[in-house]
Amino acid sequence: MNDFRGVRKITAAITTKQEPELSTLQLEMRKIPESEFKWLVQRIFQKPAMAITVIAGILVSIGLTMAVPYLTGRMFNRLWAIYLREQPAVFYVFFQRFFFEYEILKYVEAILLLGTINFLISIIVGILNEYLAQNAERQIREDFYASVQNKSMAFSDTAKVGELMSQATYDVRIINATISPGFRMITQAAISALVTFGLIFWLEPYVMIIVIFFFPFYIITLRSYAKKLSPLTQKVQQQFGICNAHLQENVSGVRVIRAFTGEAFEIKKFGKEVDILRDDIIKRGVQQARYFPPLLLSFTITLALGLSIYFIIIGRMDGGEAITILGVLIQLYNPTYQISWVLYLTHMGLAGARRILRTMKEEDIIIEKPDAIELPEINGKIEYRNVSFSYQRQHQQDLEENNSEDEYRPTLRDISFVAEPGEIVAILGPTGCGKSTLTKLLARMYDVDKGAILIDGYDIRNVTLESLRKNIGVIEQDIFLFSTTIKENIAYGAEREISDEEIIEYAKAAQAHEFIMSFKDGYDTLVGERGVTLSGGQKQRIAIARAFLANPKILILDDSASAIDAKTEEQIQKAMNNLLKNRTVFIITHRLATIKRANKIIVMRKGRIVAKGVHDELLRTSEDYRRIFGRHIQLPPIQKEATGGAK
Amino acid sequence: MMSYFGVGRSEEKDERKFSDRELTKKMIRYIRPYKKTIFFATLIIIVNTALNIAPPYLMGYVLDLAKTLDKPNSYVILGMLIFTNLLLNFLTWFLGEYLIRVITIKTISKTSRDIRMDMFQKIQRHDFRFFDTHITGKIMSRVMNDTDTLRDTLSFIIQLFGNILLVVSSAGFLFYIDWRLALISLSLTPLLFFIMYIYRKIVRNTMLNWRKTVATVNAAMGESISGIAVSKSFSREKKNLAQFRKINQDNFMASFKRALTFATMWPIINLLQTLVLIAVYVYGQNIIILQHAIEPGILYSFTLYLWRFYFPLTQVANFYSQYQAGLAAMERIFGIMEIESEVKQPTNPIIIPNLKGEIEFQNVDFWYNEDEPVFKNFSLKIKAGTKVALVGHTGAGKTTLASLIARFYEVKGGKILIDGVDLRQLDIPWYRKQVAIVLQDSFLFSGTIKDNIRYGRIYDDPTDEEIYAAVKAVQAIEFIEAFPDGFETDVLERGKRLSTGQRQLITFARALLANPKILILDEATASVDAYTEAMIQDALETIMEGRTSIVIAHRLSTIKNADVIVMIEYGKIVEMGNHEELLKKKGKYYKLYETYFKHQALL
């Protein structure tokens, strides 16, 4: 890989401006130019030496190809001359039986030689062009991957996974095809045209006039064809995607559909989309059929031939020249037919490039400050100071559209509290009150709109993202495990090589060792799509082991999902108890045992903190708290002594 | 993507269920409605070929003539020839290029749409075993991509006829001009086929390896997108990128190797054709000069016919592998369609007016896999209108019980009676409307909140008031109206925009709207926080009135409210009764309560 870096740097210097300085988390990415066309060209000329060789090779190859009709023409002239007894024949004799006319043999040998050289050059050109294309595909995919990794959380909330996947796989492949065979064929077509014109003009300028006459029509019909085709092609692709999405939902949601007898509705819905797809494909096909260039070429050839024959009759031209002209013009059929397909490829390629670029260019809203410092060893004191936040502001477009304050519907309003190092803070509240959001802000998955969040006195916006996040561990509501082994999932956050013993240690602390060993492959068991499906409780324990290993000072536990049985519950309690020691913990839970243990309970409602305190205190004084837990017993009336933020 | 000479087609080795002939027969069924159009197309092809046959010969003839003729009225002949040729040019383009393409695309698009709709409809009728055994991605690929492959094959077949005609007619002329030259030029044809055969073999290997790398790359991409939160929280972006670079590089090597074959094939074919031409010239000059058998112009015509022979021949040579690909696609398509459902609509379906909702399991046997029985001789009677709580460890059979009641699967032995009637005798669509299920994973469709709730009675078109009432009952009004678009808020793919708890409430409102006689809650309330759950408890109590409610839950509050608690262990009922009774027994339920439920209690 290293030798490529050198070329890449040179290319970068030639074709782009200087690469931007890398900050710790900003991954290596090439600067993206405005137009997708320019970007494509840059991709092709990533290796300029190869690209130029390809072009030169094509030039030579076409020259050789066009030389053959010329030689053929001369050969036929000789044939005619001998046949009409205008010239005498000179013979070679082989094996006393085979007679070959000398001059004709020379022409035949020449054709063979040219054919062979052409063969070799074509192969080289083909291989190089292929390399260019594959290399470009690889680079683009890597850039895309890096770009997606770089994106902020807001991106992943609204991005459709399917769309992104389609861009990363299908679009990238299309761009590959645009380079090979696309680029090669375009170059071939262009050079063919030039050589053809040159050759015909040299042979017989009057025939050239016919060619020149048709040429503009050729170009115009080609352009109009391409212009009309492009939106139709896009429509088909879009509609195909829509049908795909419908189908996917239909299959994923089959339980719901059957449960509510929605089959008839689904059939109607899908039917509509599929009908539209059919009509779109037909429209596109009809436009593809309206391809005039071959017809124009045929006209050109007929007229050129007619004129040539006239010239033969009046003695201005000989038969051989007519054959040459014909032979050269016929060479143009290949590119004529290919051009429509190549244009199609290029359109798709540009469309794909456009989509990819759009995704890559999407603004990162979480930007690390250039002078961000590393967060040092922390104690874990967390302070929220008058924090307000709204999801609406998180998208670039929204930033431009929704600037009015009255439309500002914050998810969090004026949140203030302090968590001392080592404290367990339980966060409660109804669905949608902002609990999860509050915790997401801590790791800077989003930035606050107003106020600030401080860790050990540092505003989290002033520290590097990497150092911030390394100190915060998250066990989320829906645990995401990667499709790899249990071992690798547990070691996911590790910065160094982790020994098997360590992993087992953490797994034991997380009460996961037992069930892991119950699998045939133990820690090497694959989980995820290609492996075993773990239950919620098992996933949670692996996540706990993962957190143990990463050993963050601050832990966020979103524990609302608890569809597990009692035995597992007991184990998780044990594991959690271990985990919560010596860390500052934010926990979203409804397990009463855990809540009772909390040093601080925060009750939220509609984005605000409505009560703060410990369990007994809140039971006495907070209406909202009693709503949660006081249902089963009769409680004495609320004591109106003021505690923090009741209602 | 264009593949040359049929090399590089998908060579999946699917086990064949159907023979080639069966598949072709099934295919023809879909084409049959369009047979008039196809017949018309065939006619056009024949006419077009006929029009096309003479020109090359004439061309050579005229060239010869031009050298010997120089009378003035030859200009008139020349003019007429030019004019006729122009007309022919247009006709052949119009018939052979335009009309044929239009007819083809119309026919195959309609056919392909018919197949897709058929597949979709059949899938709606398959039972759950099908979905358990088929991955979503595969199903999608069958419906969308395999039909496309089939469409391409059909298009090819339609063109095939024209190509064959061309090959045959050109060959005819070759022989007409000079049989010896014809033999020489045709002799290289088998070599051509042989080369393509070799290439197919080479490509197959490179393709397999390439596919593997592609799958790996796609998987890595997919994970990086779905797991972005985790990646970020562990600051794994750099490491992930490094790992991805490796995977990407592997894919690069495999792709390059695969593409190399294509890069070398065309040049070889071209070289071969040049050799044929050389041979023709070498022998041709002999014939012309020494034997004076044909004129040079005719030799030229010969070469034109050669070109006209070889080009469609390569298309025809493509045929076999294209046809194979089509068959493979057909196999996969019909494989999905023709699946026996276990759960079938009875011949005389029964509808019970005023269904009360009494459920009885009589000696029921059930398993997903034969060697792992879930229920053996299981019996349970649930009186109409009771609230039943199913309790037990994961895997005890509670969810299965619910699935059986909803008739998602069929019992293997024994029977289930609803209001005394065997479940299998009931009209399925009617019965499903009487049962509502709230699942644990709260699946929502992409669309508005209102649409999702309306789904509860999608067959019925409920009014906005009814929807609003259902939402009010589950106390979800507050958070819905907190959204700027309120009920019209788009929940996005799988309800991504809402939190887990919010999704739950919506599925709840949906079930409520359905107003079922039998309500099944599968661990529904477990994913919601205590505050919300408290609200739902209230709503639950309201909706559980007048229905048979079966709740699979782990929450003490839910269970305490039940009329009957049924504790299940490994497919057997171990204890049954209400909360106080079971506690007094100090049996298994008591133990469960002590170790688990008690943590949830206040005191």
Side-chain angles (χ1 to χ4, degrees):
Chain A
M1 276 290 288
N2 291 318
D3 42 331
F4 299 162
R5 271 194 208 284
V7 180
R8 203 196 299 175
K9 282 226 174 78
I10 299 171
T11 317
I14 296 173
T15 56
T16 65
K17 300 195 188 83
Q18 264 306 305
E19 310 249 350
E21 270 297 304
L22 304 175
S23 65
T24 43
L25 215 52
Q26 230 84 60
L27 299 166
E28 299 143 40
M29 266 182 60
R30 272 153 277 278
K31 199 130 191 341
I32 302 171
E34 269 309 308
S35 105
E36 55 259 17
F37 182 72
K38 196 163 167 214
W39 181 71
L40 260 182
V41 172
Q42 270 177 17
R43 297 277 77 79
I44 296 176
F45 282 87
Q46 191 103 32
K47 299 192 166 293
M50 255 189 227
I52 293 179
T53 312
V54 166
I55 297 179
I58 293 177
L59 192 63
V60 173
S61 170
I62 294 194
L64 293 175
T65 314
M66 294 298 189
V68 172
Y70 177 71
L71 291 171
T72 313
R74 299 286 294 247
M75 184 187 83
F76 268 96
N77 273 341
R78 176 76 176 147
L79 264 177
W80 262 306
I82 296 176
Y83 184 77
L84 299 172
R85 299 181 209 274
E86 290 165 12
Q87 286 171 28
V90 178
F91 286 104
Y92 267 155
V93 185
F94 288 106
F95 306 109
Q96 285 141 2
R97 294 186 85 228
F98 301 111
F99 293 84
F100 295 109
E101 213 282 326
Y102 177 74
E103 211 177 301
I104 293 181
L105 197 60
K106 280 268 164 299
Y107 284 125
V108 166
E109 278 173 1
I111 293 177
L112 184 59
L113 184 65
L114 291 188
T116 317
I117 299 177
N118 207 2
F119 165 71
L120 291 170
I121 294 185
S122 302
I123 291 190
I124 295 176
V125 165
I127 295 178
L128 288 181
N129 197 42
E130 224 21 88
Y131 187 88
L132 283 177
Q134 298 302 338
N135 189 46
E137 183 180 331
R138 177 184 53 178
Q139 290 302 355
I140 294 173
R141 196 173 275 132
E142 211 175 276
D143 284 355
F144 190 78
Y145 186 90
S147 161
V148 166
Q149 290 280 295
N150 256 340
K151 295 285 178 239
S152 68
M153 286 303 296
F155 173 79
S156 88
D157 282 344
T158 52
K160 285 204 169 167
V161 175
E163 246 177 64
L164 284 180
M165 281 304 293
S166 142
Q167 284 172 19
T169 55
Y170 179 74
D171 285 338
V172 175
R173 201 103 57 78
I174 288 289
I175 293 178
N176 180 330
T178 308
I179 300 177
S180 174
F183 168 64
R184 173 168 56 87
M185 285 187 177
I186 292 180
T187 318
Q188 278 172 339
I191 296 181
S192 295
L194 286 173
V195 175
T196 305
F197 293 164
L199 200 57
I200 293 183
F201 183 74
W202 178 59
L203 281 175
E204 182 48 73
Y206 285 106
V207 174
M208 187 57 189
I209 294 179
I210 297 179
V211 175
I212 297 270
F213 174 72
F214 274 105
F215 189 64
F217 292 109
Y218 188 96
I219 296 293
I220 291 175
T221 50
L222 199 60
R223 272 199 79 206
S224 134
Y225 168 82
K227 251 201 183 147
K228 292 207 187 108
L229 188 61
S230 160
L232 294 176
T233 308
Q234 271 191 319
K235 185 88 201 337
V236 168
Q237 278 177 298
Q238 261 176 349
Q239 190 60 23
F240 192 87
I242 292 178
C243 289
N244 243 354
H246 271 244
L247 193 54
Q248 178 170 51
E249 261 202 347
N250 181 274
V251 174
S252 318
V254 66
R255 277 187 159 68
V256 177
I257 297 173
R258 294 305 165 87
F260 293 105
T261 53
E263 293 101 324
F265 175 73
E266 294 291 318
I267 291 178
K268 226 170 53 170
K269 214 165 69 157
F270 190 69
K272 244 195 276 175
E273 300 301 336
V274 148
D275 283 350
I276 295 177
L277 181 64
R278 171 200 60 200
D279 294 336
D280 286 341
I281 293 179
I282 291 179
K283 275 193 211 133
R284 180 186 66 174
V286 169
Q287 174 58 26
Q288 278 176 319
R290 293 204 181 120
Y291 188 56
F292 297 119
L295 180 59
L296 290 177
L297 184 60
S298 303
F299 284 163
T300 312
I301 292 180
T302 304
L303 288 178
L305 193 61
L307 189 62
S308 304
I309 294 180
Y310 169 72
F311 283 155
I312 294 177
I313 294 178
I314 64 172
R316 186 190 157 94
M317 231 163 75
D318 51 41
E321 284 176 322
I323 287 180
T324 305
I325 291 177
L326 199 56
V328 161
L329 284 176
I330 287 182
Q331 294 289 351
L332 290 181
Y333 268 119
N334 235 6
T336 302
Y337 282 115
Q338 283 171 351
I339 271 282
S340 75
W341 181 62
V342 168
L343 280 179
Y344 168 74
L345 261 188
T346 315
H347 265 112
M348 302 265 272
L350 284 175
R354 208 174 303 132
R355 282 193 290 271
I356 290 182
L357 285 184
R358 202 194 315 142
T359 302
M360 295 214 278
K361 278 200 234 178
E362 237 180 80
E363 287 291 298
D364 291 334
I365 296 188
I366 303 296
I367 301 172
E368 214 174 60
K369 284 196 182 151
D371 54 349
I373 53 174
E374 291 252 333
L375 195 60
E377 282 271 338
I378 55 170
N379 294 321
K381 173 169 166 171
I382 303 175
E383 182 181 348
Y384 277 61
R385 225 183 255 173
N386 304 104
V387 167
S388 290
F389 170 81
S390 158
Y391 278 106
Q392 282 176 281
R393 288 268 166 100
Q394 294 313 298
H395 296 269
Q396 197 67 2
Q397 315 113 280
D398 287 334
L399 274 176
E400 278 139 36
E401 288 163 33
N402 300 339
N403 259 315
S404 55
E405 274 291 334
D406 13 74
E407 285 199 6
Y408 182 64
R409 302 242 198 147
T411 313
L412 292 177
R413 286 175 210 261
D414 207 26
I415 302 284
S416 294
F417 69 92
V418 174
E420 299 296 335
E423 276 195 333
I424 300 176
V425 180
I427 307 178
L428 306 175
T431 310
C433 70
K435 317 187 283 290
S436 296
T437 314
L438 190 138
T439 57
K440 283 190 191 149
L441 290 177
L442 186 60
R444 253 193 114 194
M445 293 298 177
Y446 302 93
D447 264 341
V448 301
D449 291 334
K450 296 188 191 143
I453 302 177
L454 303 123
I455 296 182
D456 275 16
Y458 293 94
D459 186 325
I460 59 175
R461 285 169 296 190
N462 293 336
V463 301
T464 64
L465 285 169
E466 201 171 327
S467 64
L468 172 68
R469 294 199 182 136
K470 284 240 184 306
N471 279 299
I472 302 178
V474 179
I475 298 181
E476 63 275 19
Q477 210 174 41
D478 302 307
I479 311 266
F480 184 86
L481 294 180
F482 292 93
S483 298
T484 174
T485 63
I486 291 182
K487 203 195 307 187
E488 280 168 33
N489 266 293
I490 295 179
Y492 191 71
E495 290 197 292
R496 52 190 171 87
E497 282 296 307
I498 305 288
S499 67
D500 284 356
E501 290 83 43
E502 281 183 270
I503 293 190
I504 296 181
E505 201 186 298
Y506 292 126
K508 281 192 180 152
Q511 307 294 316
H513 180 71
E514 215 180 284
F515 84 77
I516 295 178
M517 292 310 285
S518 77
F519 293 127
K520 186 172 49 132
D521 296 317
Y523 283 83
D524 291 315
T525 313
L526 269 178
V527 298
E529 249 199 34
R530 280 170 292 138
V532 299
T533 318
L534 299 177
S535 72
Q538 292 169 328
K539 278 198 206 162
Q540 208 170 26
R541 281 173 282 168
I542 295 203
I544 292 176
R546 185 167 72 186
F548 266 128
L549 200 149
N551 200 23
K553 237 358 187 175
I554 299 173
L555 189 63
I556 299 176
L557 262 165
D558 197 335
D559 180 42
S560 327
S562 59
I564 47 187
D565 56 77
K567 185 148 161 268
T568 320
E569 173 69 39
E570 207 182 313
Q571 292 178 318
I572 293 195
Q573 282 287 11
K574 254 206 221 148
M576 293 246 257
N577 287 340
N578 283 335
L579 190 62
L580 301 185
K581 290 194 193 133
N582 290 328
R583 287 180 230 275
T584 314
V585 182
F586 281 12
I587 181 162
I588 301 174
T589 182
H590 51 255
R591 284 170 218 257
L592 190 61
T594 321
I595 294 175
K596 274 188 176 176
R597 269 191 68 191
N599 304 101
K600 213 167 251 159
I601 301 173
I602 295 179
V603 185
M604 291 180 67
R605 195 183 162 153
K606 281 203 196 166
R608 282 191 215 276
I609 297 184
V610 293
K612 264 196 280 202
V614 287
H615 175 71
D616 297 313
E617 195 185 323
L618 289 173
L619 211 53
R620 273 199 320 256
T621 58
S622 162
E623 174 74 54
D624 293 281
Y625 196 74
R626 287 152 78 99
R627 264 216 260 179
I628 302 174
F629 292 111
R631 296 184 68 252
H632 299 284
I633 53 170
Q634 274 294 76
L635 289 166
I638 295 180
Q639 293 177 260
K640 282 303 188 189
E641 56 201 56
T643 39
K647 216 157 342 79
Chain B
M1 290 256 255
M2 211 163 97
S3 37
Y4 306 108
F5 301 97
V7 175
R9 300 227 177 264
S10 145
E11 316 255 3
E12 254 182 55
K13 285 200 187 81
D14 272 328
E15 262 167 39
R16 283 297 193 87
K17 241 202 291 185
F18 308 100
S19 73
D20 287 6
R21 175 179 268 190
E22 279 182 314
L23 287 176
T24 319
K25 273 221 278 225
K26 290 185 204 284
M27 241 349 283
I28 293 185
R29 247 192 310 136
Y30 282 100
I31 302 182
R32 194 164 292 150
Y34 308 105
K35 62 176 180 227
K36 267 202 239 149
T37 333
I38 295 188
F39 180 68
F40 182 57
T42 319
L43 230 63
I44 294 183
I45 293 177
I46 295 179
V47 169
N48 192 37
T49 316
L51 287 177
N52 249 325
I53 292 186
Y57 190 85
L58 285 176
M59 214 157 345
Y61 184 75
V62 167
L63 277 175
D64 282 325
L65 221 56
K67 297 202 121 267
T68 54
L69 225 59
D70 46 15
K71 295 199 198 110
N73 41 357
S74 60
Y75 297 156
V76 175
I77 303 176
L78 182 62
M80 276 174 50
L81 271 174
I82 295 179
F83 179 74
T84 326
N85 212 21
L86 285 176
L87 198 63
L88 271 181
N89 288 147
F90 177 75
L91 276 177
T92 41
W93 177 85
F94 182 74
L95 292 177
E97 307 252 333
Y98 179 74
L99 211 54
I100 283 295
R101 290 228 173 98
V102 170
I103 293 177
T104 308
I105 194 73
K106 280 198 175 151
T107 315
I108 61 180
S109 300
K110 289 185 188 160
T111 313
S112 139
R113 175 247 174 230
D114 290 343
I115 298 179
R116 277 195 182 125
M117 268 320 281
D118 232 13
M119 287 177 85
F120 191 80
Q121 285 174 330
K122 294 249 164 73
I123 290 177
Q124 300 310 302
R125 308 216 185 292
H126 288 333
D127 63 14
F128 280 78
R129 267 226 312 223
F130 171 78
F131 294 97
D132 288 343
T133 48
H134 289 79
I135 310 176
T136 309
K138 274 238 172 89
I139 299 177
M140 283 168 64
S141 155
R142 304 266 184 274
V143 176
M144 298 307 283
N145 301 93
D146 284 333
T147 38
D148 269 352
T149 310
L150 195 53
R151 192 184 69 205
D152 289 341
T153 308
L154 282 177
S155 157
F156 208 84
I157 292 178
I158 295 180
Q159 289 171 8
L160 181 70
F161 179 60
N163 283 325
I164 291 182
L165 268 186
L166 256 180
V167 169
V168 169
S169 60
S170 303
F173 262 86
L174 289 177
F175 274 96
Y176 172 70
I177 291 179
D178 191 290
W179 64 274
R180 291 161 294 182
L181 282 180
L183 274 181
I184 292 178
S185 24
L186 261 52
S187 65
L188 253 88
T189 314
L191 185 61
L192 192 73
F193 282 101
F194 180 68
I195 291 182
M196 276 155 42
Y197 172 72
I198 299 276
Y199 261 96
R200 256 204 289 277
K201 282 223 145 40
I202 298 177
V203 165
R204 193 177 304 178
N205 293 331
T206 56
M207 276 295 260
L208 250 85
N209 193 31
W210 174 73
R211 272 182 203 285
K212 268 197 232 140
T213 58
V214 167
T216 315
V217 165
N218 289 352
M221 243 326 158
E223 275 210 340
S224 85
I225 294 172
S226 354
I228 197 173
V230 181
S231 301
K232 279 193 159 357
S233 75
F234 282 100
S235 270
R236 276 270 306 218
E237 292 100 321
K238 274 226 191 95
K239 217 173 176 183
N240 288 349
L241 183 62
Q243 277 181 346
F244 186 75
R245 281 215 171 102
K246 263 189 247 142
I247 297 176
N248 210 15
Q249 175 70 9
D250 290 337
N251 177 248
F252 167 75
M253 290 309 299
S255 296
F256 184 56
K257 281 197 195 127
R258 164 180 167 263
L260 272 184
T261 26
F262 296 131
T264 48
M265 195 160 48
W266 259 128
I268 291 183
I269 304 286
N270 276 333
L271 186 64
L272 268 182
Q273 289 177 336
T274 311
L275 288 176
V276 171
L277 212 55
I278 300 286
V280 166
Y281 286 152
V282 164
Y283 194 65
Q285 56 100 47
N286 199 321
I287 296 180
I288 292 176
I289 298 173
L290 295 175
Q291 304 171 28
H292 243 256
I294 59 173
E295 298 91 339
I298 302 300
L299 180 68
Y300 183 64
S301 301
F302 187 89
T303 59
L304 290 178
Y305 279 115
L306 252 190
W307 185 76
R308 212 175 257 208
F309 170 78
Y310 271 111
F311 187 70
L313 186 68
T314 57
Q315 304 292 88
V316 171
N318 236 356
F319 175 70
Y320 182 69
S321 56
Q322 179 80 48
Y323 185 57
Q324 285 296 103
L327 283 179
M330 270 192 258
E331 170 82 35
R332 290 193 289 269
I333 289 176
F334 293 119
I336 278 223
M337 288 211 265
E338 315 209 338
I339 295 211
E340 269 295 299
S341 271
E342 256 191 347
V343 175
K344 287 196 266 249
Q345 175 79 322
T347 33
N348 300 311
I350 301 176
I351 293 183
I352 306 175
N354 301 322
L355 181 72
K356 292 198 193 56
E358 176 186 274
I359 306 173
E360 181 176 351
F361 283 73
Q362 269 185 5
N363 309 103
V364 167
D365 297 327
F366 182 76
W367 61 80
Y368 293 107
N369 308 312
E370 211 167 324
D371 38 328
E372 290 173 35
V374 181
F375 290 120
K376 254 214 210 116
N377 210 7
F378 180 85
S379 296
L380 169 68
K381 186 158 182 179
I382 300 174
K383 285 202 244 172
T386 35
K387 294 176 233 177
V388 178
L390 294 178
V391 172
H393 296 294
T394 328
K398 312 186 294 288
T399 314
T400 312
L401 214 66
S403 300
L404 287 175
I405 296 177
R407 212 176 164 208
F408 284 157
Y409 295 90
E410 202 76 290
V411 296
K412 303 282 182 200
K415 50 184 159 181
I416 302 177
L417 303 174
I418 308 286
D419 272 20
V421 181
D422 189 334
L423 179 55
R424 286 169 290 196
Q425 301 304 319
L426 297 177
D427 181 72
I428 297 183
W430 165 84
Y431 178 67
R432 293 256 167 84
K433 289 178 189 148
Q434 314 307 316
V435 179
I437 305 185
V438 184
L439 298 166
Q440 215 237 323
D441 74 352
S442 29
F443 184 89
L444 293 185
F445 295 107
S446 59
T448 67
I449 293 182
K450 201 200 287 194
D451 285 339
N452 268 289
I453 300 176
R454 185 189 286 127
Y455 209 83
R457 266 174 43 205
I458 195 76
Y459 49 85
D460 199 55
D461 209 17
T463 62
D464 281 356
E465 289 82 42
E466 293 173 302
I467 297 177
Y468 197 81
V471 173
K472 205 151 164 232
V474 301
Q475 308 196 29
I477 296 269
E478 202 175 284
F479 88 77
I480 293 182
E481 294 193 330
F483 283 109
D485 294 320
F487 275 83
E488 300 299 329
T489 311
D490 192 328
V491 302
L492 298 181
E493 212 174 286
R494 282 180 180 262
K496 250 203 298 214
R497 179 163 259 161
L498 308 178
S499 71
T500 315
Q502 290 170 335
R503 284 203 297 275
Q504 271 295 318
L505 288 180
I506 305 260
T507 57
F508 213 77
R510 181 170 70 192
L512 212 51
L513 185 66
N515 199 20
K517 276 285 183 302
I518 299 174
L519 178 66
I520 302 177
L521 286 142
D522 188 345
E523 299 182 334
T525 55
S527 290
V528 157
D529 63 84
Y531 193 101
T532 317
E533 188 236 321
M535 295 194 297
I536 292 184
Q537 279 302 119
D538 292 336
L540 263 177
E541 279 165 42
T542 323
I543 62 160
M544 289 211 273
E545 285 308 310
R547 282 180 240 281
T548 313
S549 310
I550 301 165
V551 182
I552 306 167
H554 303 290
R555 312 214 60 72
L556 178 64
S557 34
T558 322
I559 294 169
K560 260 189 171 179
N561 274 322
D563 296 325
V564 184
I565 300 173
V566 179
M567 184 163 177
I568 302 185
E569 211 167 82
Y570 302 121
K572 295 203 192 328
I573 301 177
V574 293
E575 281 182 16
M576 206 159 106
N578 72 26
H579 177 70
E580 285 81 28
E581 290 169 10
L582 290 181
L583 275 188
K584 270 206 211 105
K585 268 205 188 136
K586 289 218 194 285
K588 294 203 161 147
Y589 178 78
Y590 177 74
K591 237 171 89 205
L592 190 68
Y593 175 77
E594 283 293 309
T595 55
Y596 171 58
F597 292 123
K598 205 157 153 195
H599 295 298
Q600 298 185 17
L602 204 55
L603 304 165

